[in-house]
């Protein structure tokens, strides 16, 4: 059977049921950051800005402080790359003593997720360690406006947050519908200072969200639609944004792709790539996007025979040549296209190139089995040896 639209069924049956929850208001456009005071004023009286040291150097923090003017209650710029539970607790304490009732986060995934944790502690009290889990909250949390400075995490529109538990050496993931950001302000100029290597790796995080949600056991027709469009945008605009960081069209389309992929995965979840990337982050300190970008083609290959039609859809969305091949052949074309994209944007192709030792891969494999993402992978994984085999392929 040759590949055509009839060979690409959505594979749903009468048992399909799902919730789709995407409550975040999106404000998009070059220069739209000027709308920040209006958005803060609609939600509260005093905003606390959460960010990191690197963004102070870019001048973006000063820009936001100026925009907020009298609405600014204080600034917390101590969020590190892999934020921890104690960073969340400290930030919440400072925000409360500054009299803030609203959080504005300016940054990438680590900043946004720290701010999400702070929103919970400001409302519920206690420590972030008391809130590990999913859908435990029963009321709206502190209002949160997100200004992303990367295009990848999608955290600006998701209910999830990932924060490090340093005592246990593991990333803690929470999902709380009542803590989804109220507003995401996507101004392409906010991502302009991001250097090419981080543009590339964070962009592949978004690609991984799109692909993993599209093949997830929890996928649904709405997440499918947004995930596929995200794939189309990323394959076209990510190389352009990496090549020229001042291409505001490419920057803007990547912001949209990241949020679409965020919507997709916050409703359909992610899979094995994320389980493995979280473990590499916890054990070897490998940044999330870098790990995802490297592992994605290998996990697609691992899932190939389980979901060939779905990966064939990814190949078509990527504009790969699928002429004269069946679904399995097209799925292979998707793997090759993903590898080619990753090379084109200059990402590392081997874990050993990132300084990961072979001796760490057993520990990473075992840790991956305890990661919440793994259960949504299209192939159900029962043995950490299967994960180890994928790590070895990527080594
Ligand atoms: Fe991710």
């Amino acid at each position: 059977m040759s590949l055509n639209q009839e060979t690409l069924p959505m594979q749903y049956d009468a048992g399909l049921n799902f919730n789709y929850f995407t409550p975040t208001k999106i404000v998009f456009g070059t220069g739209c950051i000027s709308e920040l005071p209006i958005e803060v004023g609609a939600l509260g009286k005093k905003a606390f800005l959460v960010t990191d040291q690197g963004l102070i150097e870019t001048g973006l923090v000063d820009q936001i402080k100026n925009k907020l003017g009298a609405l600014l209650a204080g600034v917390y710029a101590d969020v590190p790359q892999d934020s921890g539970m104690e960073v969340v607790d400290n930030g919440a304490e400072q925000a409360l003593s500054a009299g803030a009732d609203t959080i504005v986060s300016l940054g990438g995934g680590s900043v946004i997720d720290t701010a999400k944790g702070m929103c919970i502690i400001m409302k519920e009290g206690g420590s972030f360690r008391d809130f590990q889990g999913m859908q435990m909250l029963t009321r709206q949390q502190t209002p949160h406006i997100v200004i992303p400075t990367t295009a990848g995490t999608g955290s600006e529109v998701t209910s999830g947050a990932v924060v490090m538990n340093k005592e246990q050496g593991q990333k803690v993931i929470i999902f709380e519908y009542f803590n989804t950001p109220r507003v995401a302000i996507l101004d392409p100029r906010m991502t302009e200072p991001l250097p090419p290597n981080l543009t590339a790796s964070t962009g592949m995080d978004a690609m991984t969200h799109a692909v993993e949600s599209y093949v997830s056991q929890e996928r649904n027709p709405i997440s499918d639609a947004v995930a596929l469009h995200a794939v189309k945008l990323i394959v076209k605009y990510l190389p352009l944004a990496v090549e020229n960081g001042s291409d505001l069209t490419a920057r803007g389309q990547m912001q949209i792709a990241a949020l679409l992929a965020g919507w997709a995965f916050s409703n359909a979840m992610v899979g094995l790539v994320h389980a493995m990337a979280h473990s590499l982050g916890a054990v070897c300190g490998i940044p999330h996007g870098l790990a995802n970008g490297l592992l994605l083609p290998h996990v697609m290959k691992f899932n190939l025979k389980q979901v060939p039609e779905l990966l064939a859809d990814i190949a078509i969305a990527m504009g790969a040549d699928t002429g004269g091949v069946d679904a399995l052949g097209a799925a292979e074309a998707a793997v090759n296209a993903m590898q080619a994209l990753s090379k084109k944007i200059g990402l590392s192709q081997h874990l050993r190139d990132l300084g990961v030792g072979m001796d760490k891969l057993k520990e990473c494999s075992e840790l991956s089995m305890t990661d919440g993402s793994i259960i949504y992978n299209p192939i159900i994984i029962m043995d950490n040896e299967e994960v180890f085999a994928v790590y070895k392929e990527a080594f």
Side-chain angles (χ1 to χ4, degrees):
M1 187 165 52
S2 73
L3 187 72
N4 57 44
Q5 285 305 310
E6 286 168 34
T7 65
L8 303 175
M10 284 303 187
Q11 299 181 349
Y12 298 112
D13 57 28
L16 175 69
N17 67 80
F18 61 90
N19 291 339
Y20 200 84
F21 186 74
T22 54
T24 309
K25 175 181 177 182
I26 309 300
V27 180
F28 175 83
T30 302
C32 74
I33 196 64
S34 60
E35 293 174 39
L36 176 61
I38 301 166
E39 298 300 336
V40 170
L43 293 169
K45 290 188 171 65
K46 285 282 179 188
F48 194 75
L49 178 60
V50 184
T51 186
D52 64 36
Q53 291 295 331
L55 288 165
I56 293 178
E57 287 154 30
T58 63
L60 290 181
V61 172
D62 277 341
Q63 245 188 77
I64 301 303
K65 281 163 73 176
N66 290 339
K67 293 268 182 256
L68 286 170
L71 291 166
L72 182 68
V75 181
Y76 184 58
D78 296 334
V79 183
Q81 184 51 46
D82 274 307
S83 188
M85 296 200 287
E86 68 292 342
V87 183
V88 171
D89 292 348
N90 286 341
E93 199 185 312
Q94 290 190 31
L96 285 173
S97 45
D101 58 11
T102 306
I103 290 290
V104 173
S105 62
L106 172 78
S110 197
V111 165
I112 301 169
D113 287 4
T114 299
K116 282 180 175 176
M118 289 170 57
C119 288
I120 297 175
I121 308 309
M122 287 169 70
K123 182 78 178 181
E124 306 290 347
S127 162
F128 188 72
R129 67 180 63 251
D130 307 327
F131 294 93
Q132 298 183 48
M134 289 170 81
Q135 316 302 0
M136 289 160 58
L137 303 172
T138 54
R139 56 180 178 169
Q140 280 292 349
Q141 299 298 299
T142 311
H144 184 187
I145 298 171
V146 183
I147 307 164
T149 57
T150 65
T153 166
S155 192
E156 62 274 17
V157 292
T158 73
S159 63
V162 183
V163 173
M164 192 78 189
N165 180 339
K166 289 187 176 140
E167 287 158 24
Q168 292 176 355
Q170 189 164 15
K171 292 194 170 184
V172 177
I173 304 164
I174 62 161
F175 278 95
E176 293 292 350
Y177 283 150
F178 285 116
N179 197 39
T180 310
R182 307 283 178 88
V183 184
I185 298 183
L186 305 183
D187 186 333
R189 284 203 192 286
M190 297 290 122
T191 60
E192 213 179 341
L194 195 68
N197 61 334
L198 291 178
T199 302
S201 59
T202 51
M204 285 306 278
D205 185 25
M207 179 64 103
T208 308
H209 297 155
V211 173
E212 291 215 283
S213 60
Y214 193 72
V215 301
S216 164
Q217 301 204 34
E218 289 288 307
R219 70 202 174 83
N220 64 65
I222 304 174
S223 65
D224 283 350
V226 292
L228 276 188
H229 193 61
V231 171
K232 288 181 191 172
L233 290 176
I234 296 166
V235 78
K236 179 170 181 182
Y237 290 106
L238 180 56
L240 297 175
V242 170
E243 197 182 309
N244 175 12
S246 295
D247 181 340
L248 293 181
T249 304
R251 289 293 199 187
Q253 293 301 309
M254 276 306 299
Q255 286 187 302
I256 290 170
L259 98 83
L260 292 176
W263 272 337
F265 92 83
S266 70
N267 287 280
M269 313 309 280
V270 282
L272 179 59
V273 183
H274 269 75
M276 293 175 70
H278 289 150
S279 305
L280 275 176
V283 175
C284 307
I286 306 299
H288 182 67
L290 214 51
N292 275 335
L294 202 157
L295 294 168
L296 178 59
H298 296 282
V299 173
M300 287 167 72
K301 206 167 157 191
F302 174 77
N303 287 328
L304 197 80
K305 292 208 170 90
Q306 185 74 12
V307 284
E309 291 88 356
L310 299 178
L311 288 172
D313 289 350
I314 300 292
I316 293 167
M318 293 187 78
D321 183 6
T322 55
V325 295
D326 60 8
L328 202 58
E332 281 165 5
V335 175
N336 295 335
M338 201 58 78
Q339 206 107 49
L341 174 66
S342 154
K343 278 187 190 150
K344 188 175 179 181
I345 58 174
L347 289 183
S348 298
Q349 301 298 305
H350 300 283
L351 290 174
R352 59 178 181 269
D353 297 340
L354 300 178
V356 176
M358 185 58 110
D359 58 320
K360 297 284 182 199
L361 297 185
K362 259 276 173 289
E363 186 184 350
C364 287
S365 308
E366 282 159 16
L367 197 55
S368 298
M369 297 300 288
T370 68
D371 188 284
S373 307
I374 203 165
I375 59 170
Y376 304 103
N377 195 67
I379 295 178
I380 296 168
I381 297 159
M382 306 300 287
D383 186 347
N384 67 52
E385 285 297 329
E386 293 176 85
V387 183
F388 185 59
V390 182
Y391 274 129
K392 271 205 302 194
E393 282 273 319
F395 186 73

